[in-house]
Amino acid sequence: MRFSTKERRRAPVAHSGNVNIDVCNAAMRRFALSVPAPGRYGDPMSSSTTSTGSANGASTAARLRAQSLTLPNILTYGRIVAVPLVVGALFWQNILHGPLWLRWVALGIFIAAGVSDFLDGYFARIWEQQSSLGRMLDPIADKLLVSSCLLMLGAEKTIHGWSLLAAVVILCREILVSGLREYLAELRVSIPVTRLAKWKTTMQLVAVGFLICGEAGDAIVPVVTEVGIVLLWLSALLTLYTGWDYLYAGLHHLYQEDA
């Protein structure tokens, strides 16, 4: 059978077109097979990626639990728990007219809490267990313990008259420094605790300890409350000085931020 010249030219062209279509279809099938199946929310996700993410999340949670249960942090938790116990013993003894030995109970719990303030930092340093959680909770626990005891001692009239001004100075300084730290944290500026500030906290704890002993101690040594009042004034003066240091450092950073 003979083909005309035009037909002979069209036949190979038609055959070439069919071959090209087959090649394109095969390429599309290979591409479809190479694309991974979409995940639950439409994003390609392999099982290895999912398992790796789950493992990382589990290890992070385990690490956080381990940090929160170190001995220094447990001591800090205990200091926070001591706050309602000391306040409750003082309230029961004075406000509810309970027995005098409750003041000795309050003093014992307070001394244990004060000693833990030294031990948590000591253990954290020697065992290298310092953590962000501990750095946050340690000053909070100190402020809760001192502030709540000062309020109770003022309510029961152990601190009265002009001595109330010393307690007001201490409370106002703690609020000022806490607010300043919170604002500077937004600027990613940290103010380290100075050695003098640590001595201030120690003197406050000693003064409050004498005042908690109060009339129970006066029954043995008549000057216990007076010694506590004198130490309270000294700690208030030291509180003013350290508060000015923190305020000056904070204002310096604020002026730099506005400049």
Side-chain angles (χ1 to χ4, degrees):
M1 182 176 182
R2 295 180 178 272
F3 294 95
S4 65
T5 304
K6 293 182 179 180
E7 289 174 341
R8 278 186 304 209
R9 289 177 180 174
R10 280 198 302 267
V13 172
H15 178 70
S16 176
N18 292 333
V19 172
N20 290 338
I21 291 173
D22 292 339
V23 170
C24 291
N25 290 335
M28 291 178 65
R29 284 195 297 270
R30 286 196 299 272
F31 177 76
L33 293 173
S34 64
V35 175
R40 181 179 178 181
Y41 298 101
D43 295 331
M45 183 179 297
S46 64
S47 60
S48 61
T49 304
T50 305
S51 61
T52 302
S54 301
N56 291 336
S59 63
T60 301
R63 186 168 60 252
L64 290 176
R65 284 195 299 268
Q67 289 180 355
S68 63
L69 293 178
T70 59
L71 180 58
N73 286 340
I74 291 174
L75 291 173
T76 304
Y77 303 151
R79 195 155 68 255
I80 295 175
V81 172
V83 173
L85 299 178
V86 174
V87 170
L90 291 174
F91 188 88
W92 187 1
Q93 189 277 321
N94 190 275
I95 308 299
L96 300 180
H97 308 290
L100 198 60
W101 58 263
L102 286 171
R103 297 194 81 89
W104 295 111
V105 173
L107 179 63
I109 299 173
F110 184 83
I111 290 175
V115 172
S116 73
D117 185 31
F118 166 77
L119 292 178
D120 60 3
Y122 175 75
F123 289 140
R125 287 190 299 272
I126 65 172
W127 292 340
E128 297 183 353
Q129 292 182 340
Q130 296 170 333
S131 63
S132 299
L133 179 64
R135 285 190 291 271
M136 178 191 71
L137 287 181
D138 185 66
I140 292 176
D142 294 339
K143 290 174 174 57
L144 288 175
L145 186 62
V146 172
S147 301
S148 59
C149 289
L150 287 176
L151 290 174
M152 275 305 304
L153 292 169
E156 65 171 27
K157 306 298 183 183
T158 300
I159 301 175
H160 61 279
W162 289 97
S163 299
L164 286 171
L165 293 178
V168 169
V169 166
I170 293 173
L171 292 175
C172 289
R173 183 266 186 194
E174 302 301 344
I175 295 172
L176 173 65
V177 172
S178 297
L180 187 62
R181 285 180 180 275
E182 182 178 355
Y183 179 77
L184 291 177
E186 298 178 0
L187 305 179
R188 298 188 179 277
V189 174
S190 62
I191 302 179
V193 178
T194 63
R195 184 175 297 274
L196 191 59
K198 293 180 180 179
W199 279 107
K200 177 268 305 177
T201 302
T202 301
M203 186 172 289
Q204 286 180 358
L205 292 174
V206 173
V208 172
F210 272 92
L211 294 172
I212 288 175
C213 191
E215 57 182 319
D218 288 337
I220 302 173
V221 181
V223 295
V224 170
T225 302
E226 284 73 12
V227 171
I229 294 296
V230 171
L231 291 175
L232 184 67
W233 276 107
L234 291 176
S235 62
L237 294 175
L238 196 55
T239 295
L240 277 177
Y241 183 80
T242 57
W244 167 250
D245 275 352
Y246 282 119
L247 182 61
Y248 179 80
L251 291 176
H252 177 70
H253 289 294
L254 292 178
Y255 290 148
Q256 285 184 339
E257 182 70 15
D258 293 335

